[in-house]
Amino acid sequence: MAVDYAVIVVYLAGMLAMGWWGMRRAKSKSEFLVAGRRLGPVMYSGTMAAIVLGGASTIGGVGLGYQYGLSGAWMVFTIGLGLLALSVFFSARIARLKVYTVSEMLDLRYGGRAGVISGVVMWAYTLMLAVTSTIAYATIFDVLFDMNRTLAIVLGGSIVVAYSTLGGMWSITLTDMVQFVVKTVGVLLLLLPIAVVKAGGFSEMKAKLPTEYFDPLGIGGETIFTYVLIYTFGMLIGQDIWQRVFTARGDRTAKWGGTVAGTYCLVYAVAGAVIGTAAKVMYPKLPSADTAFATIVKDELPVGVRGLVLAAALAAVMSTSSGALIACATVANNDIWSRLRGVVKRDAEEHDEVKGNRVFILVMGIAVICTAIALNNVVEALTVAYNLLVAGLLVPILGGLLWKRGTVHGALASVVVGGVAVIALMASYGILANEPVYYGLLLSLAAYVIVSLATPATDAAVLAAWRERLAGRVAEPMSEPVPVHQ
């Protein structure tokens, strides 16, 4: 394994070096949080694909393929569909707003007062997303070094926190581009064909496995519907995804670069399912489907290639983890802490915004590592995060973009009713049940429509200012955060 270890060590050292390089570029809040809003189509596509395809998409996607066959692609496939929908229908308008967080968009659209509550919901989602990604380091480092779980989480998490804190979005963008290339080579170009060949080819796979393994809908219609509801809609509204949209150089970059990234996700989804199906032929009695990826890498790949593919898995985890971390810190600082303190615009000498955001990334990073060490059930944590996000924020965000009659009172009612309902329903039905997000979303929609129609329409001046921002006719403010609305 010496060669494999060397590949991993070089990869990790490169991540830290890029963090140091990114620190030299991140001299303003815009540079630090959204890479100066000037990524071109190549970097934008690569980094967007990197952030949405994390450990769950790689290790979990192969595991679903092992368990269900080709229909195991649906989880990652719905992520790709969500990214395509965001890119084609919403990304250009989102990029023109020149904001930093989803909550700032809600304040612009509704005239204030929605920021803190929506910020708390978004913060909880991004925190748990970062935590679940960080836990995945334990699986990878266990395969590599037979490392203790806690030590693995601390090691992997510390590297991500280090380069994210140093250079912010510039460091994360650079590392994500490397991670995108490593994932493409490691998973698509190496592991996929090797796994199929080792399993004897598709004809042998069909001969040895039940026919339902090759049924595109074998995983079940209800499961597919739930994936669409949680992951496709989750892609439309997550702070971690929006913050990448904010990095685009212009409308066309956001739209077409995101479309390329979404298409890449669809290919990645099918590849993961095929690898998992091949693993089922080679190892029909694995104790857990989630061990399929590690097993096939450890036992079937030659020296050097094995290290590269494990680096690809590490890259998948790191890209999602770093994206969720900077999103969590941005929301905590801009949407919660600054607003609760009543921060208003100040001169750069009085308020070092880069330093403040850097401190928040460090603090949130430590919190993520500690929570990951204490937490055991990754699936439940991720389910809670996505249920809260979709039930609490989907309606007011899309309503704000699509329905001019929506009001701030309707938005607040939607966030509170949807959030409380989904928590209560998870307590009743169980965290992994499908009903909480179904009913929570319906109640959120009902609250939004009823309260909006029952309250005065949004002020015409607020809507006019909103339309100006959507059209891209308002320059980005020189100093942030957005003033607190009383």
Side-chain angles (χ1 to χ4, degrees):
M1 293 283 287
V3 175
D4 298 323
Y5 293 159
V7 171
I8 298 297
V9 170
V10 168
Y11 168 76
L12 294 177
M15 296 299 100
L16 291 174
M18 289 181 186
W20 182 261
W21 187 88
M23 182 177 67
R24 302 176 64 183
R25 300 198 63 167
K27 301 299 184 183
S28 68
K29 181 177 180 179
S30 176
E31 295 282 351
F32 189 80
L33 293 182
V34 290
R37 306 188 194 274
R38 50 197 174 99
L39 294 190
V42 174
M43 291 194 74
Y44 179 85
S45 298
T47 57
M48 182 63 87
I51 187 177
V52 299
L53 295 173
S57 300
T58 303
I59 299 170
V62 172
L64 287 171
Y66 183 89
Q67 189 173 359
Y68 297 104
L70 298 185
S71 66
W74 273 106
M75 183 187 78
V76 183
F77 204 84
T78 55
I79 290 174
L81 292 177
L83 186 52
L84 284 171
L86 174 71
S87 302
V88 172
F89 298 113
F90 300 109
S91 62
R93 284 186 283 176
I94 292 169
R96 290 187 210 121
L97 290 174
K98 303 298 184 187
V99 295
Y100 292 98
T101 68
V102 174
S103 295
E104 287 180 30
M105 167 264 168
L106 292 173
D107 271 352
L108 282 172
R109 166 60 182 83
Y110 295 111
R113 298 195 300 274
V116 173
I117 294 177
S118 61
V120 169
V121 175
M122 189 63 76
W123 174 80
Y125 157 73
T126 53
L127 178 71
M128 295 314 299
L129 184 62
V131 165
T132 53
S133 299
T134 303
I135 290 173
Y137 296 129
T139 301
I140 298 169
F141 282 113
D142 178 56
V143 175
L144 281 172
F145 307 117
D146 193 23
M147 187 179 291
N148 172 270
R149 176 182 184 274
T150 299
L151 183 59
I153 290 172
V154 171
L155 175 61
S158 296
I159 292 171
V160 170
V161 172
Y163 71 69
S164 300
T165 302
L166 285 172
M169 187 59 83
W170 267 122
S171 294
I172 293 171
T173 296
L174 294 169
T175 54
D176 276 1
M177 275 305 297
V178 174
Q179 289 158 357
F180 170 73
V181 173
V182 170
K183 279 192 289 192
T184 301
V185 174
V187 175
L188 297 185
L189 301 184
L190 293 176
L191 183 57
L192 174 61
I194 289 173
V196 172
V197 170
K198 292 279 188 179
F202 284 105
S203 58
E204 187 71 14
M205 290 162 63
K206 284 186 176 181
K208 289 188 175 180
L209 295 174
T211 55
E212 56 263 28
Y213 264 72
F214 302 92
D215 180 358
L217 304 179
I219 199 169
E222 184 178 353
T223 299
I224 294 170
F225 179 74
T226 303
Y227 284 159
V228 170
L229 200 60
I230 293 178
Y231 297 115
T232 300
F233 286 121
M235 286 294 106
L236 298 179
I237 58 175
Q239 169 68 25
D240 52 325
I241 309 303
W242 276 43
Q243 199 156 342
R244 293 310 174 95
V245 176
F246 300 152
T247 66
R249 188 166 60 199
D251 294 0
R252 289 179 61 83
T253 297
K255 182 175 182 178
W256 297 112
T259 301
V260 170
T263 304
Y264 178 89
C265 291
L266 303 184
V267 175
Y268 201 89
V270 175
V274 171
I275 292 168
T277 305
K280 184 67 175 180
V281 173
M282 291 182 278
Y283 309 98
K285 302 292 186 182
L286 288 179
S288 169
D290 285 340
T291 64
F293 179 89
T295 303
I296 196 170
V297 170
K298 193 173 184 178
D299 293 349
E300 303 296 335
L301 299 187
V303 172
V305 173
R306 179 170 50 203
L308 182 59
V309 173
L310 286 171
L314 199 58
V317 175
M318 283 187 162
S319 57
T320 300
S321 180
S322 59
L325 175 59
I326 193 170
C328 178
T330 302
V331 170
N333 188 14
N334 289 263
D335 294 337
I336 301 175
W337 177 245
S338 295
R339 294 166 189 266
L340 291 177
R341 288 195 309 146
V343 170
V344 295
K345 295 181 180 179
R346 301 177 179 178
D347 292 334
E349 290 129 6
E350 295 181 280
H351 185 63
D352 186 343
E353 292 180 300
V354 172
K355 181 180 178 181
N357 281 289
R358 187 171 277 139
V359 168
F360 264 86
I361 291 179
L362 179 60
V363 171
M364 289 297 106
I366 293 171
V368 164
I369 292 172
C370 293
T371 307
I373 292 170
L375 202 63
N376 288 318
N377 197 315
V378 181
V379 176
E380 289 190 359
L382 198 59
T383 301
V384 170
Y386 270 101
N387 282 356
L388 273 173
L389 177 71
V390 172
L393 291 179
L394 178 67
V395 170
I397 291 171
L398 293 188
L401 290 168
L402 301 173
W403 190 41
K404 67 178 182 180
R405 186 59 182 84
T407 68
V408 65
H409 299 96
L412 288 171
S414 178
V415 173
V416 173
V417 170
V420 171
V422 80
I423 291 172
L425 289 165
M426 282 190 291
S428 174
Y429 285 96
I431 289 176
L432 299 180
N434 294 328
E435 289 84 357
V437 71
Y438 296 166
Y439 299 144
L441 189 55
L442 288 174
L443 289 170
S444 176
L445 176 61
Y448 181 71
V449 173
I450 292 170
V451 175
S452 290
L453 293 175
T455 53
T458 304
D459 185 86
V462 171
L463 287 177
W466 165 253
R467 285 192 291 270
E468 288 290 301
R469 290 295 282 266
L470 273 182
R473 290 192 286 264
V474 178
E476 180 178 0
M478 292 299 293
S479 180
E480 297 286 349
V482 173
V484 174
H485 294 267
Q486 300 299 328

